[in-house]
Each structure stands twice: as structure tokens, then as C-alpha cells.
Amino acid sequence: MLPFRNKGNKDTYAVTIGTPRYVSFSHQNMTEDAKKPQPNVCCSDKERDYAKQSSTIAKSDGDPVQTALGDFGWWQFWITFALSLLKFPIAWHQLAIIFLAAKSPFRCDVGDESTTLFNVTDRCNSFDPVTHGMVPCHQFIYDRSVFQETIITEWNLVCGRFQLSNIAQSVFMLGVLIGNVLFGMFSDKYGRKIPMMFAIVLLLVAGVGTSLAPWYELFLPLRFATALAIGGLMISSFVLTMEVVGGKWRTVVSTLHHIPFNLGHMSMALISYFIRNWRQFQLAITLPSLFFFTYWWIIPESPRWLLAVGKEKQARKILTTGASRNNRKLDGEFEKSLMNSQPEKGGDENKGNLFDLFRTPNLRKKTLAVFFNWMVCGLCFYGLAQYMGEIGGNIFINVASSGLIELPGAFLCIYLMEKFGRRNTLLSANLVTALACILITFLPQNSEVEHYKFILASLGIVGSSIAFPTIYLFSGELFPTVVRNVGVGSASMCARIGSVIAPFVSSLGVFNVYLPPMIFGTVPLIGALLCLLLPETRGAQLPVTIEDGERFGLKVTYKIANKDCGKRNTQYRIRSRRTIVASNNL
């Protein structure tokens, strides 16, 4: 621990107990346990800024990428901006089911043209004049006043087949999950750029094929192939973005990177408004991917990956170009860091695996809480987005508005995480989503309160839009360095599991209109309670080893003897989730 300097030139220490209050203790009177450096450091605002600066300096030492490029400059700006544009097709295809399988009123086609009511009680059965009983209906008449054709109206995905549209979305989300895993492995082996370009080609081919599918049985595997491409674009573009940005800019860029997703969510409603046929709509959201072929010449390979696999010559060329664009000069420090960055043999021996997250009790508790919160984010975000298209009213306004209200949530997320911390932000966002969805269950079922449903569902989406980037950063800081990649990767798979379940939860309104909002409200409430098991990571020294991860956030007891001011010896027992903070000459 490092001492403060007081007016008497004596070394004193500050101990944080809950709120930022400070108690001074004499250095020589502290016990040996209290003098030991602690792995989890929590400090005041001034000390936190100092710690961040020190951390940034430490990270830049020996890092040829940050030495050459700096944390953020015009070169990184244009690359991250270009990569963020990939979020448009990602949003279009992930949320396309809202319009591909839009609900339309229907009735059984009994051959009586005089029957024009679509709100009859039994739409799935018809009266058989021969048997004088009710038989299942096989032909239907749809209200095409809003949508000319959807996959529901074309393939009769109603009545006994109504879950097939939900299966199509669940298969898509399963494809995204598998795409994340496969392209994650490809990215480690072949770099970030080549898998990204392959995903763009696959997206174009599978997307066009989906628009031409004559049968549902062919539509399903083509949607799965599209999802593989979407999962590949998500992982490769985000990893490449994070590998060219450094320092505090990683928090900002990682959040702003998702803004085009919200814009894509909004613009999808506009596209569907002018294109009411599902095949033309599918084609309209796929063909813009032709533009991304230019990324072969625009986007460079990750210099970090090139250095990691020993391709120093290619990395040097990219870093030299980037430094020139950022008006930075490469000196001897860069050459030294470049020499020190060569991969060492046997470096994999210190890497952990997924099972290490569950070996010790404290780390296991935090891992399960993080995994569940990832599942909450996937379930509520995609489930509520689909639910917005089913609550009544104008579907185009509902979807566009839900995309619009996600924007302030993304910007608010950055402020809340820095001001109130990661845990409090995630907990509050989950509570907002839970409260908004539970309140929907208290509204009567009539058209007069549809706008209240819309407002509450929109508020739930705002909470989810804040929770998603928060849990991404929070989990990255909670997991130890040796298992951080596998930890965050496994956690993100839990979000895909939630998104696979989401369509079925949204469709439970067929049985009871209160079931979807009740589930969307209960699950984040449990997630908020689990947040109480997690320690705060804002301004903390992140864990490196599995042992650090196990100690991180544990309650620690310190006995400190105070013999000053002629007072009798007194022992103070201090319990705190936060550990002793230390800084020098502040």
C-alpha cells in the first residue's frame, strides 16, 4: 500500500467504508494484513482518475499498437465508424421476423363469400354439413389491408401451425449463437478480416436465397445460414473494433458501436412501410450488403492479431499507416515495444478454461449471476422488440418508436456506468424493465389503453438497451484475465439462449394476454436481485489470475490498532466489500 502525506509528514492511510468517508491510521500502527497490497482497489474520484491514468500508462508500455496509434485518432475513428455500419444489416435480419411474420386477421375459408368477419371466435374450424360437426380448417382468408403477403399468409402458419413462425426466429437465433462460436474460432486462426468478408458473402447469398424460397422447409435452413453470417459479422467486427482502440475509449466506442443497430431498428420500419411483401422486404434488407464488399480495401487486418501470430512485417505496415494518419511519429520506443511483442512459446500454459469459472465458490457465484443476466438481456430485448409488433396500434409506428427510444438509453448508459458504477446501472436497468412489464399486466384489455401498453413496453426496451452494453463491459471486468475471453464468450451464448426463447414467450399471448409481460417482468427482477451478489468494478484493479477472481469482491476483515493521541489501545474491526485504497502524494 502507498501512503498519503499529511501536514505532519506522517504516512496515513484512507479506508473506504461504504460511502466515501476516510479514517486516518498511523503507518506503524497498522497490522501486517492491512499493509499487504489488495487485489481489488476502490477509491475516490480523484484517486480513480489517477489509477486510470496509471493503468493506461502501464498498458501502453510494451504495447506497440498503442505506442504507434495512441488510444484513439482519426485512423481509428474511420475504421470503427465503417465497422459500426455493419450493425445495420445485423439489426435488419435479427428483427426482420417482426415484418416477415406480421400477424394478420384471418378466418376459415368455407366458400361463403358473404362471410367477411375476421374477428369470429373459432377461426380454425368449420362446420361440416355431412357429419354436422366441427372439422379443422385447411384454407384461410386473410386481411391484406396492411401487408400484401407474409410468411404466415403464404404458408398458412396459423392455428395448429402458428408456432412455425416462432420456430423460424428461434432457429435464426440459434444460428447466430453457432455463428459466434464458429467465426470466433476462425477469427483466431485466420485473422479478423477474412472471416468478416466471408460472412458478408454468406449473408448476401443466403439472404437472397431466403427471398426466393418457395417452401417453408427451404426458408428455414436459408434463414439459419443467414444467421451464421450475422453471428460472424457480430463477433469479427466487434473484436476488430476493440483491438484498434485503447484506453478509456474502449468503454465509449464499445457502447457507441451499437448505435447503428438502433438506427437499423428504426429504418426497418420505414423499409417495411413502403414494401409490404415479405419477399421484396427480405431482398431490400439484403442487397445493401453489396456495399460492404468495399471493406476488402477499406478495413485493414487487426495489427494485434498479426503480431500475435508473428506477422511483424504486415503489422508494421499497418501501424505505420495508422500512425501517419494520426500524426504520430514512430521512434525507438515503438521499435523496442515491437521487439518485445513477439509471441512466446508455451504461452498457453497460463490460460484458463471455462471450468475454472466454477471451481471456487465466489467465482462460481459471480459467474452464474453474470450468465443469468446475459440471458435476461437477450430474452427481454428481443422479446419486447417482437412484442411491440403484437400489442395493437400501428405496427410501423410502434417498431420505429421502439428503435428511437433505444438511442437515449445507449448514451445514458455511458454516463450512468461512470457516475454510479456498473452494478448499480445494471441493477437499475433491470428494475426499470421489470416494473414496466409488470405494470402492463394491470391494464385492462381494450383498445383505449393500447397507448399505455406501448409506453410501458417502450420503457422496458429502454431498460434493456441500457442493460445490454452494461453487462458486456461489467462481465469483461469481473472475469479474470486468464479466462476473460472464454468467460465473456460463454456469457454471450446465454444471451443467445434468451433470444431463442423470446419468440415463444411473446406468442404466449395466444393462451393468456398477460403471460408475456409477466414473464418479461419477472425474469429481469430476478436478474436485479442477482446483481446484489456482484462486486462493483468501476475504478477497481481487475483480477488477473483465478485466485484474484476468487478474492475479488469478498468481504475482508481487518483489525487495526490505534495508539495515537495518548488514548488507550483500541481495536477496530472494519467490514467492507471495498478494500483499502492506496495512492501516493495526492
Side-chain angles (χ1 to χ4, degrees):
M1 296 183 60
L2 299 176
F4 287 100
R5 297 290 182 184
N6 59 11
K7 293 182 179 180
N9 201 28
K10 291 184 178 180
D11 295 341
T12 59
Y13 288 82
V15 180
T16 303
I17 312 175
T19 56
R21 293 183 304 220
Y22 296 96
V23 183
S24 295
F25 297 95
S26 176
H27 178 272
Q28 62 267 26
N29 294 333
M30 296 188 67
T31 62
E32 290 300 318
D33 289 338
K35 294 178 184 178
K36 294 179 180 179
Q38 305 299 323
N40 184 11
V41 182
C42 186
C43 43
S44 66
D45 292 338
K46 184 178 180 182
E47 295 161 345
R48 186 178 297 113
D49 293 338
Y50 176 85
K52 285 184 177 181
Q53 294 172 7
S54 301
S55 177
T56 301
I57 294 172
K59 289 179 180 178
S60 63
D61 286 345
D63 184 354
V65 177
Q66 281 190 248
T67 302
L69 304 175
D71 290 343
F72 195 75
W74 282 110
W75 187 78
Q76 290 104 317
F77 170 79
W78 288 114
I79 290 177
T80 54
F81 174 75
L83 290 172
S84 69
L85 295 181
L86 290 168
K87 284 291 184 176
F88 277 96
I90 290 174
W92 291 338
H93 288 279
Q94 278 194 312
L95 302 173
I97 197 67
I98 298 174
F99 296 109
L100 293 177
K103 301 296 187 294
S104 298
F106 69 94
R107 63 178 174 84
C108 183
D109 184 7
V110 294
D112 186 0
E113 296 297 332
S114 62
T115 304
T116 58
L117 296 177
F118 291 101
N119 58 348
V120 293
T121 303
D122 191 353
R123 300 176 296 177
C124 299
N125 298 290
S126 61
F127 179 76
D128 188 347
V130 177
T131 61
H132 299 285
M134 302 299 291
V135 295
C137 187
H138 299 289
Q139 296 294 328
F140 301 91
I141 297 176
Y142 298 92
D143 180 1
R144 301 179 187 273
S145 59
V146 179
F147 294 97
Q148 298 173 2
E149 195 78 274
T150 66
I151 63 172
I152 290 179
T153 61
E154 181 167 340
W155 295 317
N156 290 327
L157 305 184
V158 293
C159 298
R161 290 163 54 90
F162 84 99
Q163 288 287 12
L164 292 181
S165 61
N166 296 324
I167 290 176
Q169 181 64 2
S170 295
V171 167
F172 184 91
M173 289 302 182
L174 180 62
V176 173
L177 188 156
I178 297 175
N180 287 156
V181 176
L182 291 179
F183 279 85
M185 294 188 296
F186 294 158
S187 295
D188 287 339
K189 187 173 183 179
Y190 301 107
R192 318 315 188 196
K193 182 177 178 178
I194 292 178
M196 182 181 71
M197 296 307 302
F198 178 77
I200 292 173
V201 174
L202 179 60
L203 175 63
L204 186 65
V205 173
V208 172
T210 301
S211 69
L212 302 175
W215 318 287
Y216 175 82
E217 291 76 13
L218 181 59
F219 171 85
L220 209 58
L222 288 173
R223 280 283 287 174
F224 181 80
T226 304
L228 289 177
I230 291 298
L233 285 180
M234 291 171 64
I235 191 70
S236 57
S237 63
F238 186 80
V239 169
L240 183 53
T241 297
M242 291 297 98
E243 287 183 340
V244 298
V245 178
K248 64 179 182 181
W249 287 98
R250 286 185 178 173
T251 302
V252 177
V253 172
S254 65
T255 304
L256 297 181
H257 178 75
H258 299 284
I259 295 296
F261 184 96
N262 304 330
L263 297 177
H265 190 173
M266 294 170 52
S267 60
M268 183 181 64
L270 184 65
I271 297 172
S272 180
Y273 179 80
F274 289 104
I275 303 176
R276 305 296 181 94
N277 185 291
W278 77 268
R279 294 184 182 277
Q280 298 172 6
F281 173 77
Q282 173 69 24
L283 204 59
I285 63 176
T286 301
L287 290 181
S289 298
L290 286 169
F291 164 77
F292 298 115
F293 283 174
T294 61
Y295 280 21
W296 180 258
W297 299 277
I298 295 176
I299 303 298
E301 181 55 87
S302 168
R304 291 189 185 276
W305 179 82
L306 291 172
L307 290 173
V309 296
K311 298 183 179 181
E312 179 188 339
K313 184 177 180 180
Q314 297 179 38
R316 181 190 296 272
K317 182 179 179 181
I318 294 173
L319 292 175
T320 302
T321 302
S324 176
R325 298 281 179 84
N326 288 348
N327 295 322
R328 294 174 65 91
K329 294 183 179 180
L330 302 182
D331 51 18
E333 182 182 352
F334 168 71
E335 295 296 334
K336 181 180 178 181
S337 62
L338 198 61
M339 293 295 295
N340 294 334
S341 66
Q342 296 304 311
E344 298 179 1
K345 294 183 179 180
D348 292 339
E349 295 178 358
N350 295 325
K351 291 184 178 180
N353 54 59
L354 178 63
F355 298 104
D356 289 329
L357 295 172
F358 299 93
R359 297 188 192 281
T360 54
N362 185 43
L363 192 55
R364 179 169 58 246
K365 174 187 67 177
K366 292 184 293 185
T367 299
L368 292 174
V370 167
F371 280 12
F372 186 85
N373 271 280
W374 271 90
M375 190 274 293
V376 170
C377 290
L379 173 67
C380 292
F381 181 82
Y382 292 105
L384 286 173
Q386 191 168 344
Y387 181 71
M388 289 287 285
E390 302 175 2
I391 60 176
N394 190 306
I395 186 174
F396 305 106
I397 295 178
N398 289 353
V399 173
S401 300
S402 62
L404 177 63
I405 60 178
E406 292 169 11
L407 289 174
F411 289 105
L412 188 61
C413 177
I414 300 175
Y415 171 78
L416 292 176
M417 284 194 293
E418 290 300 320
K419 181 68 175 178
F420 301 104
R422 284 63 158 142
R423 184 183 68 172
N424 292 335
T425 300
L426 180 61
L427 188 151
S428 301
N430 281 338
L431 287 179
V432 168
T433 301
L435 181 62
C437 293
I438 291 175
L439 286 177
I440 293 178
T441 63
F442 291 95
L443 296 177
Q445 295 302 312
N446 57 65
S447 58
E448 296 179 357
V449 297
E450 284 181 352
H451 58 286
Y452 292 114
K453 281 186 182 180
F454 168 75
I455 293 173
L456 289 173
S458 300
L459 190 60
I461 290 180
V462 171
S464 295
S465 66
I466 295 176
F468 231 134
T470 302
I471 189 60
Y472 206 110
L473 179 63
F474 194 19
S475 57
E477 294 176 338
L478 279 171
F479 292 129
T481 301
V482 293
V483 288
R484 184 162 295 137
N485 285 339
V486 68
V488 175
S490 302
S492 65
M493 291 178 64
C494 296
R496 304 303 159 214
I497 294 173
S499 62
V500 168
I501 302 171
F504 295 100
V505 176
S506 297
S507 67
L508 290 177
V510 175
F511 306 103
N512 190 308
V513 293
Y514 295 112
L515 277 178
M518 179 57 70
I519 295 175
F520 289 140
T522 304
V523 174
L525 184 61
I526 297 174
L529 294 176
L530 291 178
C531 288
L532 299 176
L533 302 177
L534 301 174
E536 180 54 67
T537 61
R538 181 187 59 159
Q541 180 179 331
L542 303 186
V544 177
T545 64
I546 297 297
E547 291 74 17
D548 292 340
E550 174 62 18
R551 291 194 298 266
F552 192 80
L554 282 176
K555 291 183 179 180
V556 183
T557 301
Y558 296 102
K559 294 181 179 180
I560 303 178
N562 186 354
K563 301 179 182 179
D564 290 341
C565 304
K567 296 181 180 179
R568 65 178 183 175
N569 297 340
T570 307
Q571 288 188 333
Y572 296 89
R573 183 178 296 270
I574 302 175
R575 285 189 182 271
S576 176
R577 277 187 184 276
R578 302 181 178 181
T579 54
I580 298 178
V581 299
S583 185
N584 190 24
N585 297 327
L586 288 178

